[in-house]
Amino acid sequence: IGRKMLQNIAHVTAWSASVGVLYGSLRLLKESVGSVIEMQYQQARLGVVLRGSGSDARELSDDVLKLAAANGRGAEEAMQAAVQWSRLGMTKSQVAKAVEVSLVAANVAEITAAEATEKLSAIMVNYNLNAGQLEGVLGMLNNTSNKYNVTVAGLFDGLQRVASVAKQAGLSLAETQAILGATVGATGQTGANIGNSLKSFIGAISNEDTQKSLRSKFNIETTAGGELKDITTIINEMYVAYQNMSRAERQTMVFSTVGKNQASRIT
């Protein structure tokens, strides 16, 4: 009886192992087929949105797959990034360059390629940049990250919230990301929080009531010749005045420019 039991157990074990291998193979086959279908779908989408011929789309697909392999990213996310960039009306070479920066940014910022593409494309549109300038933008953000206690992802988050307002106020991309980096590093707040605070500050400074309050209470002049001064100049002048204020005066000035909710994030 003992021998038969052991033989049966052996047979069942072998059968279970065989079935497991079979199901495993079927699962891998299903995943492989699904991946191929998804890739074909992404290639078809790329062919529709890319500005160029069908051969350009095929060549770009090959280039994107090589870029994905070179940067250790998935083929599907690289193709999705290519589709996103192509929607901006770029040529094949421009899309390839933009995808490369997106993949590098995804690795540097530890985010997905889709997130990197979304944030980089927003920066490019807000500051009227071209695909060839994106690598320099990423290098600038990475340099700021190394200099201050802020991540590239944090800078992306901050820029996503304030870039359009900052651009309208006359702040360059270099100035905006530098302010974000220095403030995040000094306060320990997130890039998103500081981006919102800077957005509130720019909005308040542009308000005539705020300008009058700063002038009458703290002798801070935010305009010159009827025009708003450069934002960085205003910040510098406010900082100098801030050093000589009492605690109550500091609180009043901060509340009047960014509001109570944002005050704790920048003081």
Side-chain angles (χ1 to χ4, degrees), residues 94-164:
Q94 290 172 334
V95 172
K97 183 59 181 178
V99 169
E100 181 180 12
V101 179
S102 285
L103 298 178
V104 174
N107 287 333
V108 171
E110 298 181 344
I111 55 179
T112 67
E115 290 172 322
T117 300
E118 178 187 358
K119 297 177 189 302
L120 284 168
S121 60
I123 292 173
M124 187 176 78
V125 171
N126 281 319
Y127 287 94
N128 300 317
L129 306 178
N130 58 55
Q133 294 172 295
L134 292 175
E135 187 175 8
V137 170
L138 181 58
M140 178 174 62
L141 297 181
N142 192 50
N143 183 60
T144 299
S145 175
N146 292 333
K147 186 175 181 180
Y148 300 103
N149 185 28
V150 58
T151 64
V152 173
L155 291 171
F156 273 142
D157 289 340
L159 286 169
Q160 190 172 32
R161 285 158 176 79
V162 74
S164 60

Short mmCIF file of all heavy atoms in Angstrom, two decimals, residues 94-164:
data_model
loop_
_atom_site.label_atom_id
_atom_site.label_comp_id
_atom_site.label_asym_id
_atom_site.label_seq_id
_atom_site.Cartn_x
_atom_site.Cartn_y
_atom_site.Cartn_z
N GLN A 94 12.41 64.99 -35.39
CA GLN A 94 12.06 65.73 -34.18
C GLN A 94 11.41 64.81 -33.15
O GLN A 94 11.70 64.90 -31.95
CB GLN A 94 11.13 66.89 -34.53
CG GLN A 94 11.80 68.01 -35.30
CD GLN A 94 10.80 69.04 -35.79
OE1 GLN A 94 9.62 68.74 -36.00
NE2 GLN A 94 11.26 70.27 -36.00
N VAL A 95 10.52 63.95 -33.62
CA VAL A 95 9.85 63.00 -32.71
C VAL A 95 10.87 62.07 -32.09
O VAL A 95 10.84 61.80 -30.88
CB VAL A 95 8.77 62.20 -33.45
CG1 VAL A 95 8.22 61.09 -32.54
CG2 VAL A 95 7.63 63.11 -33.88
N ALA A 96 11.79 61.55 -32.90
CA ALA A 96 12.80 60.64 -32.39
C ALA A 96 13.64 61.30 -31.30
O ALA A 96 13.94 60.69 -30.26
CB ALA A 96 13.70 60.16 -33.53
N LYS A 97 14.01 62.57 -31.52
CA LYS A 97 14.81 63.28 -30.53
C LYS A 97 14.01 63.51 -29.26
O LYS A 97 14.52 63.32 -28.14
CB LYS A 97 15.26 64.63 -31.11
CG LYS A 97 16.17 65.42 -30.17
CD LYS A 97 17.43 64.62 -29.84
CE LYS A 97 18.34 65.37 -28.89
NZ LYS A 97 19.54 64.58 -28.54
N ALA A 98 12.74 63.89 -29.41
CA ALA A 98 11.90 64.14 -28.25
C ALA A 98 11.66 62.87 -27.45
O ALA A 98 11.66 62.89 -26.22
CB ALA A 98 10.57 64.74 -28.70
N VAL A 99 11.45 61.76 -28.14
CA VAL A 99 11.26 60.47 -27.45
C VAL A 99 12.50 60.09 -26.66
O VAL A 99 12.41 59.62 -25.52
CB VAL A 99 10.92 59.36 -28.47
CG1 VAL A 99 10.97 57.98 -27.79
CG2 VAL A 99 9.53 59.58 -29.06
N GLU A 100 13.66 60.32 -27.25
CA GLU A 100 14.92 60.01 -26.54
C GLU A 100 15.01 60.79 -25.24
O GLU A 100 15.36 60.23 -24.19
CB GLU A 100 16.11 60.33 -27.44
CG GLU A 100 17.45 60.01 -26.79
CD GLU A 100 18.63 60.35 -27.68
OE1 GLU A 100 18.43 61.02 -28.71
OE2 GLU A 100 19.76 59.93 -27.35
N VAL A 101 14.67 62.09 -25.28
CA VAL A 101 14.72 62.91 -24.07
C VAL A 101 13.67 62.43 -23.07
O VAL A 101 13.93 62.40 -21.86
CB VAL A 101 14.50 64.39 -24.41
CG1 VAL A 101 14.51 65.24 -23.14
CG2 VAL A 101 15.57 64.90 -25.36
N SER A 102 12.49 62.04 -23.55
CA SER A 102 11.44 61.54 -22.66
C SER A 102 11.91 60.29 -21.92
O SER A 102 11.67 60.15 -20.71
CB SER A 102 10.17 61.20 -23.46
OG SER A 102 9.48 62.36 -23.84
N LEU A 103 12.57 59.40 -22.62
CA LEU A 103 13.03 58.15 -22.00
C LEU A 103 14.14 58.41 -20.98
O LEU A 103 14.16 57.81 -19.90
CB LEU A 103 13.51 57.18 -23.08
CG LEU A 103 12.45 56.74 -24.10
CD1 LEU A 103 13.07 55.82 -25.15
CD2 LEU A 103 11.29 56.04 -23.41
N VAL A 104 15.04 59.32 -21.33
CA VAL A 104 16.10 59.69 -20.38
C VAL A 104 15.49 60.37 -19.15
O VAL A 104 15.86 60.09 -18.01
CB VAL A 104 17.14 60.61 -21.04
CG1 VAL A 104 18.15 61.11 -20.01
CG2 VAL A 104 17.86 59.87 -22.17
N ALA A 105 14.53 61.27 -19.40
CA ALA A 105 13.87 61.98 -18.30
C ALA A 105 13.11 61.01 -17.40
O ALA A 105 13.09 61.18 -16.17
CB ALA A 105 12.90 63.02 -18.86
N ALA A 106 12.50 60.00 -17.99
CA ALA A 106 11.78 58.99 -17.21
C ALA A 106 12.73 58.26 -16.26
O ALA A 106 12.39 57.99 -15.10
CB ALA A 106 11.08 58.00 -18.14
N ASN A 107 13.92 57.96 -16.75
CA ASN A 107 14.92 57.29 -15.90
C ASN A 107 15.45 58.23 -14.82
O ASN A 107 15.60 57.84 -13.66
CB ASN A 107 16.08 56.79 -16.76
CG ASN A 107 15.71 55.57 -17.60
OD1 ASN A 107 14.81 54.81 -17.22
ND2 ASN A 107 16.36 55.39 -18.72
N VAL A 108 15.73 59.46 -15.20
CA VAL A 108 16.31 60.42 -14.25
C VAL A 108 15.31 60.78 -13.16
O VAL A 108 15.65 60.84 -11.96
CB VAL A 108 16.77 61.70 -14.98
CG1 VAL A 108 17.16 62.78 -13.99
CG2 VAL A 108 17.95 61.38 -15.91
N ALA A 109 14.06 61.04 -13.57
CA ALA A 109 13.03 61.48 -12.61
C ALA A 109 12.29 60.32 -11.96
O ALA A 109 11.46 60.54 -11.07
CB ALA A 109 12.02 62.39 -13.33
N GLU A 110 12.56 59.12 -12.42
CA GLU A 110 11.89 57.91 -11.90
C GLU A 110 10.38 58.01 -12.05
O GLU A 110 9.62 57.81 -11.10
CB GLU A 110 12.28 57.66 -10.43
CG GLU A 110 13.77 57.41 -10.24
CD GLU A 110 14.16 57.14 -8.80
OE1 GLU A 110 13.35 57.43 -7.90
OE2 GLU A 110 15.27 56.63 -8.58
N ILE A 111 9.95 58.36 -13.27
CA ILE A 111 8.54 58.41 -13.61
C ILE A 111 8.34 57.63 -14.90
O ILE A 111 9.31 57.13 -15.49
CB ILE A 111 8.06 59.86 -13.79
CG1 ILE A 111 8.91 60.60 -14.85
CG2 ILE A 111 8.10 60.61 -12.47
CD1 ILE A 111 8.50 62.03 -15.10
N THR A 112 7.10 57.52 -15.37
CA THR A 112 6.86 56.82 -16.62
C THR A 112 7.22 57.72 -17.80
O THR A 112 7.29 58.94 -17.67
CB THR A 112 5.39 56.40 -16.74
OG1 THR A 112 4.56 57.58 -16.86
CG2 THR A 112 4.95 55.60 -15.52
N ALA A 113 7.42 57.08 -18.96
CA ALA A 113 7.73 57.86 -20.16
C ALA A 113 6.56 58.75 -20.54
O ALA A 113 6.74 59.85 -21.06
CB ALA A 113 8.08 56.92 -21.31
N ALA A 114 5.34 58.27 -20.28
CA ALA A 114 4.14 59.08 -20.58
C ALA A 114 4.12 60.34 -19.73
O ALA A 114 3.81 61.44 -20.23
CB ALA A 114 2.88 58.25 -20.34
N GLU A 115 4.45 60.20 -18.44
CA GLU A 115 4.49 61.37 -17.55
C GLU A 115 5.58 62.33 -17.98
O GLU A 115 5.38 63.56 -17.98
CB GLU A 115 4.73 60.92 -16.11
CG GLU A 115 3.55 60.18 -15.49
CD GLU A 115 3.89 59.58 -14.13
OE1 GLU A 115 5.04 59.10 -13.97
OE2 GLU A 115 3.01 59.59 -13.26
N ALA A 116 6.74 61.80 -18.32
CA ALA A 116 7.86 62.64 -18.76
C ALA A 116 7.49 63.40 -20.03
O ALA A 116 7.79 64.60 -20.16
CB ALA A 116 9.10 61.80 -18.99
N THR A 117 6.83 62.72 -20.94
CA THR A 117 6.41 63.35 -22.20
C THR A 117 5.39 64.46 -21.94
O THR A 117 5.47 65.54 -22.53
CB THR A 117 5.81 62.31 -23.15
OG1 THR A 117 6.80 61.30 -23.42
CG2 THR A 117 5.38 62.95 -24.46
N GLU A 118 4.45 64.19 -21.06
CA GLU A 118 3.43 65.19 -20.73
C GLU A 118 4.06 66.46 -20.15
O GLU A 118 3.72 67.59 -20.54
CB GLU A 118 2.44 64.61 -19.72
CG GLU A 118 1.37 65.59 -19.25
CD GLU A 118 0.50 65.03 -18.13
OE1 GLU A 118 0.70 63.86 -17.74
OE2 GLU A 118 -0.37 65.78 -17.64
N LYS A 119 5.00 66.28 -19.23
CA LYS A 119 5.62 67.43 -18.57
C LYS A 119 6.56 68.18 -19.51
O LYS A 119 6.59 69.42 -19.52
CB LYS A 119 6.33 66.96 -17.31
CG LYS A 119 5.37 66.36 -16.28
CD LYS A 119 6.10 65.82 -15.06
CE LYS A 119 5.17 65.04 -14.14
NZ LYS A 119 4.01 65.82 -13.67
N LEU A 120 7.33 67.45 -20.29
CA LEU A 120 8.25 68.09 -21.22
C LEU A 120 7.50 68.82 -22.33
O LEU A 120 7.89 69.92 -22.73
CB LEU A 120 9.18 67.04 -21.84
CG LEU A 120 10.32 66.52 -20.95
CD1 LEU A 120 10.96 65.30 -21.58
CD2 LEU A 120 11.36 67.61 -20.71
N SER A 121 6.42 68.22 -22.83
CA SER A 121 5.65 68.87 -23.89
C SER A 121 4.99 70.15 -23.39
O SER A 121 4.89 71.14 -24.12
CB SER A 121 4.61 67.92 -24.46
OG SER A 121 3.69 67.49 -23.47
N ALA A 122 4.55 70.14 -22.11
CA ALA A 122 3.95 71.35 -21.53
C ALA A 122 4.99 72.46 -21.45
O ALA A 122 4.70 73.63 -21.75
CB ALA A 122 3.38 71.05 -20.15
N ILE A 123 6.20 72.12 -21.03
CA ILE A 123 7.29 73.10 -20.96
C ILE A 123 7.60 73.64 -22.35
O ILE A 123 7.76 74.85 -22.55
CB ILE A 123 8.55 72.47 -20.33
CG1 ILE A 123 8.31 72.15 -18.85
CG2 ILE A 123 9.76 73.40 -20.49
CD1 ILE A 123 9.44 71.37 -18.20
N MET A 124 7.65 72.74 -23.32
CA MET A 124 7.99 73.15 -24.68
C MET A 124 6.96 74.11 -25.25
O MET A 124 7.30 75.13 -25.86
CB MET A 124 8.09 71.91 -25.58
CG MET A 124 8.61 72.22 -26.98
SD MET A 124 8.83 70.75 -28.00
CE MET A 124 7.12 70.46 -28.46
N VAL A 125 5.68 73.81 -25.02
CA VAL A 125 4.60 74.67 -25.53
C VAL A 125 4.59 76.02 -24.81
O VAL A 125 4.47 77.07 -25.45
CB VAL A 125 3.24 73.96 -25.39
CG1 VAL A 125 2.10 74.92 -25.70
CG2 VAL A 125 3.17 72.74 -26.31
N ASN A 126 4.70 76.00 -23.48
CA ASN A 126 4.64 77.24 -22.70
C ASN A 126 5.77 78.20 -23.04
O ASN A 126 5.58 79.42 -23.05
CB ASN A 126 4.66 76.93 -21.21
CG ASN A 126 3.31 76.49 -20.68
OD1 ASN A 126 2.28 77.04 -21.04
ND2 ASN A 126 3.30 75.48 -19.83
N TYR A 127 6.96 77.65 -23.30
CA TYR A 127 8.12 78.50 -23.53
C TYR A 127 8.55 78.54 -25.01
O TYR A 127 9.65 78.99 -25.32
CB TYR A 127 9.28 78.05 -22.65
CG TYR A 127 9.07 78.42 -21.19
CD1 TYR A 127 8.49 77.52 -20.30
CD2 TYR A 127 9.41 79.68 -20.72
CE1 TYR A 127 8.27 77.87 -18.97
CE2 TYR A 127 9.19 80.03 -19.39
CZ TYR A 127 8.62 79.12 -18.53
OH TYR A 127 8.39 79.47 -17.21
N ASN A 128 7.68 78.06 -25.89
CA ASN A 128 7.93 78.12 -27.34
C ASN A 128 9.28 77.52 -27.71
O ASN A 128 10.08 78.12 -28.45
CB ASN A 128 7.86 79.58 -27.83
CG ASN A 128 6.51 80.22 -27.58
OD1 ASN A 128 5.47 79.59 -27.80
ND2 ASN A 128 6.52 81.45 -27.09
N LEU A 129 9.56 76.34 -27.20
CA LEU A 129 10.81 75.65 -27.49
C LEU A 129 10.63 74.69 -28.65
O LEU A 129 9.51 74.43 -29.10
CB LEU A 129 11.28 74.88 -26.25
CG LEU A 129 11.41 75.68 -24.94
CD1 LEU A 129 11.84 74.77 -23.81
CD2 LEU A 129 12.40 76.82 -25.11
N ASN A 130 11.73 74.14 -29.14
CA ASN A 130 11.66 73.10 -30.16
C ASN A 130 12.27 71.82 -29.61
O ASN A 130 12.87 71.81 -28.53
CB ASN A 130 12.37 73.54 -31.45
CG ASN A 130 13.83 73.90 -31.20
OD1 ASN A 130 14.60 73.12 -30.68
ND2 ASN A 130 14.22 75.13 -31.60
N ALA A 131 12.12 70.74 -30.35
CA ALA A 131 12.56 69.43 -29.87
C ALA A 131 14.06 69.41 -29.57
O ALA A 131 14.51 68.72 -28.64
CB ALA A 131 12.22 68.36 -30.91
N GLY A 132 14.83 70.16 -30.34
CA GLY A 132 16.27 70.18 -30.13
C GLY A 132 16.70 70.82 -28.83
O GLY A 132 17.83 70.62 -28.38
N GLN A 133 15.81 71.59 -28.21
CA GLN A 133 16.14 72.28 -26.96
C GLN A 133 15.76 71.47 -25.72
O GLN A 133 16.13 71.86 -24.61
CB GLN A 133 15.43 73.63 -26.91
CG GLN A 133 15.90 74.62 -27.96
CD GLN A 133 15.05 75.88 -28.00
OE1 GLN A 133 13.87 75.83 -28.34
NE2 GLN A 133 15.63 77.02 -27.64
N LEU A 134 15.04 70.40 -25.91
CA LEU A 134 14.55 69.62 -24.76
C LEU A 134 15.69 68.98 -23.97
O LEU A 134 15.63 68.90 -22.74
CB LEU A 134 13.59 68.53 -25.23
CG LEU A 134 12.25 69.02 -25.78
CD1 LEU A 134 11.44 67.85 -26.34
CD2 LEU A 134 11.46 69.74 -24.70
N GLU A 135 16.72 68.53 -24.66
CA GLU A 135 17.86 67.92 -23.97
C GLU A 135 18.52 68.93 -23.04
O GLU A 135 18.90 68.60 -21.90
CB GLU A 135 18.87 67.39 -24.98
CG GLU A 135 20.00 66.59 -24.35
CD GLU A 135 20.91 65.97 -25.38
OE1 GLU A 135 20.76 66.26 -26.59
OE2 GLU A 135 21.78 65.15 -25.00
N GLY A 136 18.65 70.18 -23.51
CA GLY A 136 19.22 71.23 -22.67
C GLY A 136 18.35 71.53 -21.46
O GLY A 136 18.85 71.80 -20.37
N VAL A 137 17.02 71.49 -21.66
CA VAL A 137 16.09 71.71 -20.55
C VAL A 137 16.28 70.64 -19.48
O VAL A 137 16.36 70.94 -18.28
CB VAL A 137 14.63 71.71 -21.05
CG1 VAL A 137 13.65 71.68 -19.88
CG2 VAL A 137 14.36 72.92 -21.93
N LEU A 138 16.33 69.39 -19.92
CA LEU A 138 16.52 68.30 -18.95
C LEU A 138 17.85 68.43 -18.23
O LEU A 138 17.94 68.19 -17.02
CB LEU A 138 16.43 66.95 -19.68
CG LEU A 138 16.59 65.70 -18.80
CD1 LEU A 138 15.52 65.68 -17.70
CD2 LEU A 138 16.52 64.43 -19.64
N GLY A 139 18.90 68.81 -18.97
CA GLY A 139 20.20 69.00 -18.34
C GLY A 139 20.16 70.11 -17.30
O GLY A 139 20.78 69.99 -16.23
N MET A 140 19.43 71.19 -17.58
CA MET A 140 19.30 72.30 -16.64
C MET A 140 18.58 71.85 -15.38
O MET A 140 18.99 72.17 -14.25
CB MET A 140 18.54 73.45 -17.30
CG MET A 140 18.29 74.66 -16.40
SD MET A 140 17.54 76.04 -17.32
CE MET A 140 15.99 75.28 -17.86
N LEU A 141 17.48 71.11 -15.55
CA LEU A 141 16.74 70.61 -14.39
C LEU A 141 17.58 69.65 -13.56
O LEU A 141 17.55 69.68 -12.32
CB LEU A 141 15.46 69.91 -14.86
CG LEU A 141 14.43 70.76 -15.61
CD1 LEU A 141 13.22 69.90 -15.98
CD2 LEU A 141 14.00 71.96 -14.79
N ASN A 142 18.35 68.81 -14.23
CA ASN A 142 19.19 67.87 -13.52
C ASN A 142 20.29 68.59 -12.75
O ASN A 142 20.64 68.20 -11.63
CB ASN A 142 19.81 66.88 -14.51
CG ASN A 142 20.47 65.70 -13.83
OD1 ASN A 142 19.88 65.05 -12.97
ND2 ASN A 142 21.70 65.41 -14.20
N ASN A 143 20.83 69.66 -13.32
CA ASN A 143 21.85 70.46 -12.65
C ASN A 143 21.28 71.13 -11.40
O ASN A 143 21.93 71.17 -10.35
CB ASN A 143 22.40 71.52 -13.61
CG ASN A 143 23.51 72.34 -12.99
OD1 ASN A 143 24.55 71.81 -12.60
ND2 ASN A 143 23.30 73.65 -12.89
N THR A 144 20.06 71.66 -11.51
CA THR A 144 19.40 72.27 -10.34
C THR A 144 19.13 71.22 -9.27
O THR A 144 19.28 71.48 -8.08
CB THR A 144 18.07 72.92 -10.77
OG1 THR A 144 18.34 73.95 -11.72
CG2 THR A 144 17.34 73.53 -9.58
N SER A 145 18.74 70.02 -9.71
CA SER A 145 18.50 68.92 -8.76
C SER A 145 19.77 68.56 -8.00
O SER A 145 19.72 68.26 -6.80
CB SER A 145 17.97 67.70 -9.52
OG SER A 145 17.84 66.58 -8.67
N ASN A 146 20.90 68.60 -8.69
CA ASN A 146 22.18 68.29 -8.03
C ASN A 146 22.63 69.40 -7.08
O ASN A 146 23.33 69.14 -6.10
CB ASN A 146 23.26 68.05 -9.09
CG ASN A 146 23.03 66.79 -9.90
OD1 ASN A 146 22.40 65.85 -9.42
ND2 ASN A 146 23.51 66.78 -11.14
N LYS A 147 22.21 70.62 -7.37
CA LYS A 147 22.64 71.78 -6.58
C LYS A 147 21.79 71.97 -5.32
O LYS A 147 22.30 72.32 -4.26
CB LYS A 147 22.59 73.03 -7.44
CG LYS A 147 23.16 74.28 -6.77
CD LYS A 147 23.19 75.45 -7.74
CE LYS A 147 23.79 76.69 -7.08
NZ LYS A 147 23.82 77.84 -8.03
N TYR A 148 20.49 71.73 -5.46
CA TYR A 148 19.57 71.93 -4.33
C TYR A 148 18.94 70.59 -3.93
O TYR A 148 19.03 69.62 -4.66
CB TYR A 148 18.47 72.92 -4.71
CG TYR A 148 18.97 74.29 -5.09
CD1 TYR A 148 19.02 74.68 -6.42
CD2 TYR A 148 19.41 75.19 -4.13
CE1 TYR A 148 19.48 75.95 -6.79
CE2 TYR A 148 19.88 76.45 -4.47
CZ TYR A 148 19.92 76.82 -5.81
OH TYR A 148 20.38 78.06 -6.17
N ASN A 149 18.30 70.60 -2.78
CA ASN A 149 17.64 69.39 -2.30
C ASN A 149 16.26 69.25 -2.95
O ASN A 149 15.22 69.41 -2.32
CB ASN A 149 17.49 69.45 -0.77
CG ASN A 149 16.92 68.17 -0.20
OD1 ASN A 149 17.08 67.09 -0.78
ND2 ASN A 149 16.23 68.28 0.92
N VAL A 150 16.28 68.97 -4.25
CA VAL A 150 15.04 68.85 -5.02
C VAL A 150 15.26 67.80 -6.11
O VAL A 150 16.36 67.67 -6.64
CB VAL A 150 14.64 70.20 -5.65
CG1 VAL A 150 15.73 70.73 -6.56
CG2 VAL A 150 13.32 70.10 -6.40
N THR A 151 14.22 67.05 -6.41
CA THR A 151 14.31 66.04 -7.46
C THR A 151 13.87 66.62 -8.80
O THR A 151 13.18 67.64 -8.85
CB THR A 151 13.43 64.82 -7.14
OG1 THR A 151 12.04 65.24 -7.12
CG2 THR A 151 13.79 64.22 -5.79
N VAL A 152 14.28 65.97 -9.87
CA VAL A 152 13.83 66.40 -11.20
C VAL A 152 12.31 66.25 -11.30
O VAL A 152 11.63 67.09 -11.88
CB VAL A 152 14.53 65.58 -12.30
CG1 VAL A 152 13.94 65.89 -13.67
CG2 VAL A 152 16.03 65.86 -12.30
N ALA A 153 11.79 65.19 -10.69
CA ALA A 153 10.33 65.00 -10.68
C ALA A 153 9.64 66.15 -9.96
O ALA A 153 8.58 66.63 -10.39
CB ALA A 153 9.98 63.67 -10.02
N GLY A 154 10.24 66.62 -8.87
CA GLY A 154 9.69 67.75 -8.13
C GLY A 154 9.69 69.02 -8.95
O GLY A 154 8.73 69.81 -8.92
N LEU A 155 10.75 69.24 -9.71
CA LEU A 155 10.82 70.41 -10.58
C LEU A 155 9.77 70.32 -11.69
O LEU A 155 9.13 71.32 -12.04
CB LEU A 155 12.22 70.53 -11.19
CG LEU A 155 13.34 70.91 -10.22
CD1 LEU A 155 14.70 70.78 -10.89
CD2 LEU A 155 13.15 72.33 -9.70
N PHE A 156 9.60 69.13 -12.23
CA PHE A 156 8.55 68.92 -13.23
C PHE A 156 7.18 69.28 -12.67
O PHE A 156 6.38 69.96 -13.31
CB PHE A 156 8.55 67.47 -13.70
CG PHE A 156 9.49 67.16 -14.84
CD1 PHE A 156 10.19 65.97 -14.88
CD2 PHE A 156 9.66 68.07 -15.88
CE1 PHE A 156 11.05 65.67 -15.93
CE2 PHE A 156 10.52 67.79 -16.93
CZ PHE A 156 11.21 66.59 -16.96
N ASP A 157 6.91 68.79 -11.45
CA ASP A 157 5.61 69.06 -10.82
C ASP A 157 5.39 70.56 -10.60
O ASP A 157 4.30 71.08 -10.83
CB ASP A 157 5.51 68.32 -9.49
CG ASP A 157 5.39 66.82 -9.65
OD1 ASP A 157 5.00 66.38 -10.75
OD2 ASP A 157 5.68 66.08 -8.69
N GLY A 158 6.44 71.23 -10.13
CA GLY A 158 6.32 72.66 -9.89
C GLY A 158 6.10 73.44 -11.18
O GLY A 158 5.24 74.33 -11.25
N LEU A 159 6.86 73.11 -12.20
CA LEU A 159 6.73 73.79 -13.49
C LEU A 159 5.37 73.55 -14.12
O LEU A 159 4.80 74.45 -14.76
CB LEU A 159 7.84 73.33 -14.45
CG LEU A 159 9.24 73.86 -14.15
CD1 LEU A 159 10.28 73.14 -14.99
CD2 LEU A 159 9.31 75.36 -14.41
N GLN A 160 4.85 72.36 -13.93
CA GLN A 160 3.54 72.04 -14.50
C GLN A 160 2.46 72.97 -13.95
O GLN A 160 1.50 73.29 -14.64
CB GLN A 160 3.19 70.58 -14.20
CG GLN A 160 1.97 70.06 -14.95
CD GLN A 160 1.81 68.57 -14.77
OE1 GLN A 160 2.14 67.99 -13.74
NE2 GLN A 160 1.28 67.90 -15.78
N ARG A 161 2.64 73.43 -12.72
CA ARG A 161 1.63 74.27 -12.08
C ARG A 161 1.84 75.76 -12.31
O ARG A 161 0.87 76.52 -12.29
CB ARG A 161 1.61 73.97 -10.56
CG ARG A 161 0.93 72.65 -10.26
CD ARG A 161 1.34 72.08 -8.91
NE ARG A 161 0.59 70.87 -8.61
CZ ARG A 161 0.88 69.67 -9.12
NH1 ARG A 161 1.88 69.55 -9.97
NH2 ARG A 161 0.16 68.62 -8.81
N VAL A 162 3.07 76.17 -12.55
CA VAL A 162 3.32 77.62 -12.59
C VAL A 162 3.86 78.13 -13.92
O VAL A 162 3.90 79.33 -14.15
CB VAL A 162 4.31 78.00 -11.46
CG1 VAL A 162 5.74 77.57 -11.80
CG2 VAL A 162 4.26 79.49 -11.17
N ALA A 163 4.27 77.24 -14.81
CA ALA A 163 4.99 77.66 -16.02
C ALA A 163 4.23 78.69 -16.85
O ALA A 163 4.78 79.71 -17.26
CB ALA A 163 5.32 76.45 -16.88
N SER A 164 2.95 78.45 -17.11
CA SER A 164 2.20 79.36 -17.98
C SER A 164 2.07 80.75 -17.35
O SER A 164 2.22 81.77 -18.04
CB SER A 164 0.81 78.78 -18.27
OG SER A 164 0.07 78.59 -17.08
#
